[in-house]
Amino acid sequence: MPKYLTLTDYAQITGSAPIKRQTHGWRSKCLQRLVRLDMPVPQTIALSFGVVREIATGAQMNLRHLLGHFPKGQLLSVRPSAEHPQWGGPAAILNIGMNDEKHAEIAAIYGEPVATELYLRFVQSYAAHVAHLDPDMFDATEPCLPALQAALRDYESEVEEPFPQSPAQQLADVLRSMARAWEGTSARLLRQAKGAPVDAGLGLVVQAMAGGIGSGESGAGLIRFIDAETGMAQVTGRFKSRGVHGQDAMKNGADVLYLTRDKRGPSLEERCPEAFAELLRHGAHARSRLREEMEIEFTLEDGKLWVLDAVNVQRSSRASVRVAVDLANDGVIERDEALMRIQPKALSDLLHRQVDARARTTVFVRGIAASPGAAIGRVVFSSTAAQACAARDEPCILVRRETTPEDIRGMHSAQAVLTERGGMTSHAAVIGRGLGVPCVVGASGMQIDERRKTVRAGDNILSEGDMLTVDGTNGMVLIGEVPLLEPALDDRFTTLLDWADARCDIGIRANADTPADARIARGFKAQGIGLCRTEHMFFEDDRLTLMREMIFADTSEDRRDSLERLLPMQRADFMDLFEIMQGEPVCIRLFDPPLHEFLPHSKDGLRFLADALDKPLSEIVRRAEALSEFNPMLGMRGVRLGVTIPEIYEMQVRAIFEATVEVSHRGTPVAPEIMIPLVSAMREVELVKSRIDAIAATVRSRMGVDFEYRVGVMVETPRAALRAGDIALHASFLSFGTNDLTQMTYGLSRDDAGRFMSDYVQQGVFPEDPFHTLDLDGVGELLQLGAARGRKARDDLTLSICGEHGGNPESIRFCRELGFDYVSCSPFRVPVARLAAAQLVIEELG
Ligand code: PEP
Ligand code: MG
């Protein structure tokens, strides 16, 4: 015995009906808002989540009562109404109520073709979605009477019953099938993947068809008041006319009208000026009252306008920014709300070129999206080839197994970088983000054959010179040239960020190694440089030779001699940075990598070096081997070099102080900060700091000028975090280097993690790649301990983060809660960080 639902289990949508998004879904709520705005919405009834759930389990509604709300013979539609539009729902079913009698009635008034089309479309969707018959059996493309008769026959022979003629039965069947479809496993998994809870409900909307048939202008359309790509005010959309009496329908596209006047053909504006003007009025009204740019679905029936639905216009990131700023400038929303409406990571789409989402693409390989943006170029397999391409002004993509510091110049020359190995903080990824070069790493589905100069992924093989598109935003590599969208750093973008700055209460600095990086950082209003990795300065050709000379020096004097010649170059580097940053703090990290990174790896390279240094090849090979380490990341690097080969740091520190004096002398304020990397013990800091102070004293007395500077420590070993209390006694700032800190906390090489990271994430071992998203539980606890112990020892201690996590909204939230003074991230992430930080403040203000 089926359960019968009571008469009050549905609500007619009126301005005052008790309809909520949480009980009836977004569509019902939206329709109620349109009714409240006096839009001509056809008669609509909303079924709640609870009722639909009951229907799914076999309960029946009193449909006679429900149908009593509509005129006799009224055709109906049923549409899904989940709590959020993105959770989807079963396909809408239109023209419920079509049967033999209705067909004859419509045919008599508007002609047989119109009636046949409506009936056939209904039979088709009923067969597929309600009776679950094979849709191919019913896919007649040309609606005509024989096709309709065949469909009715086929239906009867498959179901062994004639096509239902009772509108009440049709409606009952449609409601039941839609309710059950929602409960199906695949529908549930699909919506859960989009964030819906397990028990998400489905509402249904039963609406009178304003089907666009009539004796005047009739048809269906969609209108938007902005361009969805740019966000500029512009009427866009379409209107499909059935013509007068519907006879002209479907003829050679003559039925599709422009919305606004257009030289190319007839428009709705000309044909139905009153309805068009009414649509414009509704659009403006919806914008100001619903405080959004809406897309209105409408029909005309005998020239009368009906509004069937209105949803937020789906838009690009660039359009989102423009719309939010324009709405705030027009006083429709507050500035804070405009800031909250933009996803921080969407801003990064505006900063870089993007693959046009409308383009047809063929994927070559997928990898980790390591540096955003898209670029097109010819495949090259070496840095030398990349530099040769750049010399010919030919865009190229550098494809490597992995990159090393030797590849920096090649990376500078390439439009994008693709590597087989690596993760979010491997060399290619870090440098790619710093340079703003799109980068995909860890593309383990490809194999490079360096000898043949080819790269294979599945069945596709590309040779040097073939065209490739790298989409670093989505971690995709596409074959050939794909259309790209240009960046959009327009005035709306700047305005939004200015509003963000007015809210932001944590400093945002940039990781910048070169004058080019520093200029970008300054352009994005970074409040200083939080990390300048000085080793990159030694890879220029002339410097590399001097560097190698220094590494191979036999005595301390010889080493000092090579460093003496490097000093003016370093001084010039720092002067450039100080000039560009105009008194904003510049935090210079002393030399960090193991020395063998500066040595050639090939036999040819070693031979060339022997020549350049005028030493026997055997000695070069022996010394190079002696420098190599089993585990260089945990070997002789960072402060360990500073303690054991103090001349390098001495040269760098002198260069910093001399640059400070010279630039201040020109009238530009300078705020230098010196940061010691890879510290694990307080004594390391004590030793290096006392040498720094001694050099400062020498430079002061030699140049006869006083200057200020700060010395701090990069906390990137777990021990440094644990011992932050005593380390802080010798450091005026601690900056957490979360790349190495993550590597050492997990005991997981940042260069090799890419090989198994996706398996680990898929199997739920790690919730996310910890090199990408800061591990708040483990690494985060070290940050928390380090910050608390450091501040306890010294309450004026400056705290910051400068690992790659620094620009992520969730790390910013965490660091802000710990009372950090600033975060530092790659220059292109500065705008993202500014917005994310502002949103945290607004969120707190409630
Ligand atoms: C770090 O380890 O977090 C860091 C910023 O330094 P690098 O990436 O140069 O090792
Ligand atoms: Mg580090």
Side-chain angles (χ1 to χ4, degrees), residues 255-558:
D255 53 319
V256 178
L257 264 60
Y258 292 98
L259 289 182
T260 50
R261 271 171 221 284
D262 198 301
K263 285 203 265 323
R264 291 166 295 175
S267 67
L268 186 68
E269 186 175 8
E270 287 156 311
R271 282 233 194 127
C272 294
E274 278 165 24
F276 181 76
E278 200 183 336
L279 273 171
L280 293 190
R281 264 199 317 281
H282 290 317
H285 202 185
R287 181 179 191 264
S288 65
R289 296 284 299 280
L290 302 182
R291 307 175 330 117
E292 246 306 354
E293 286 294 351
M294 306 298 284
E295 168 179 297
I296 297 179
E297 196 187 327
F298 65 96
T299 56
L300 289 188
E301 200 167 46
D302 280 344
K304 166 160 177 41
L305 178 72
W306 290 103
V307 171
L308 304 189
D309 214 343
V311 292
N312 295 357
V313 178
Q314 288 287 328
R315 63 200 79 161
S316 68
S317 306
R318 157 197 314 222
S320 302
V321 170
R322 178 173 280 269
V323 167
V325 171
D326 287 354
L327 285 173
N329 278 338
D330 293 346
V332 177
I333 59 175
E334 297 290 328
R335 286 182 179 181
D336 279 357
E337 187 169 348
L339 289 167
M340 293 307 280
R341 284 190 181 190
I342 307 299
Q343 291 261 342
K345 69 177 165 24
L347 282 191
S348 97
D349 293 350
L350 274 67
L351 302 171
H352 306 279
R353 296 166 94 198
Q354 298 295 326
V355 168
D356 188 334
R358 295 162 294 193
R360 279 174 176 276
T361 55
T362 311
V363 176
F364 176 62
V365 71
R366 289 167 212 269
I368 296 170
S371 173
I376 302 171
R378 294 189 183 285
V379 171
V380 294
F381 293 100
S382 69
S383 283
T384 328
Q387 287 169 54
C389 273
R392 296 194 299 271
D393 260 348
E394 212 174 76
C396 68
I397 308 292
L398 179 61
V399 181
R400 304 280 288 154
R401 203 152 283 151
E402 60 202 332
T403 62
T404 65
E406 272 183 297
D407 291 313
I408 294 251
R409 300 189 66 201
M411 294 181 74
H412 265 287
S413 309
Q415 265 51 47
V417 178
L418 165 64
T419 68
E420 187 183 323
R421 299 190 186 146
M424 274 314 279
T425 53
S426 61
H427 181 265
V430 172
I431 302 300
R433 284 195 291 275
L435 297 176
V437 170
C439 180
V440 172
V441 300
S444 51
M446 70 178 194
Q447 301 86 39
I448 299 172
D449 184 335
E450 294 201 1
R451 213 167 42 80
R452 290 208 177 86
K453 295 202 178 357
T454 58
V455 54
R456 167 198 279 272
D459 293 337
N460 293 309
I461 299 182
L462 298 177
S463 304
E464 191 153 76
D466 286 347
M467 279 304 215
L468 203 58
T469 301
V470 171
D471 176 355
T473 306
N474 299 303
M476 305 274 258
V477 183
L478 310 165
I479 293 179
E481 289 184 61
V482 171
L484 303 183
L485 299 173
E486 290 304 315
L489 303 180
D490 55 14
D491 57 333
R492 303 304 199 283
F493 174 84
T494 318
T495 305
L496 189 85
L497 287 180
D498 287 346
W499 293 349
D501 285 345
R503 283 291 187 209
C504 211
D505 64 358
I506 183 168
I508 313 283
R509 294 199 199 175
N511 294 352
D513 308 338
T514 62
D517 292 348
R519 274 188 209 100
I520 295 167
R522 187 95 184 121
F524 290 144
K525 299 206 183 149
Q527 293 152 311
I529 293 179
L531 171 64
C532 167
R533 294 174 164 103
T534 48
E535 57 271 17
H536 297 152
M537 297 167 165
F538 298 107
F539 280 99
E540 301 286 320
D541 261 352
D542 48 344
R543 303 176 184 203
L544 190 55
T545 311
L546 278 173
M547 193 64 192
R548 288 170 170 175
E549 238 179 74
M550 187 276 292
I551 294 171
F552 282 93
D554 292 316
T555 63
S556 174
E557 279 67 49
D558 287 351

Side-chain angles (χ1 to χ4, degrees), residues 430 511 531 533 535 589 592 637 714 716 736-741 750 802-804:
V430 172
N511 294 352
L531 171 64
R533 294 174 164 103
E535 57 271 17
R589 177 179 77 182
D592 182 45
R637 55 171 285 218
M714 192 159 175
E716 46 188 347
F736 289 84
T738 45
N739 303 336
D740 271 309
L741 192 56
R750 58 202 258 197
C802 64
E804 292 303 307

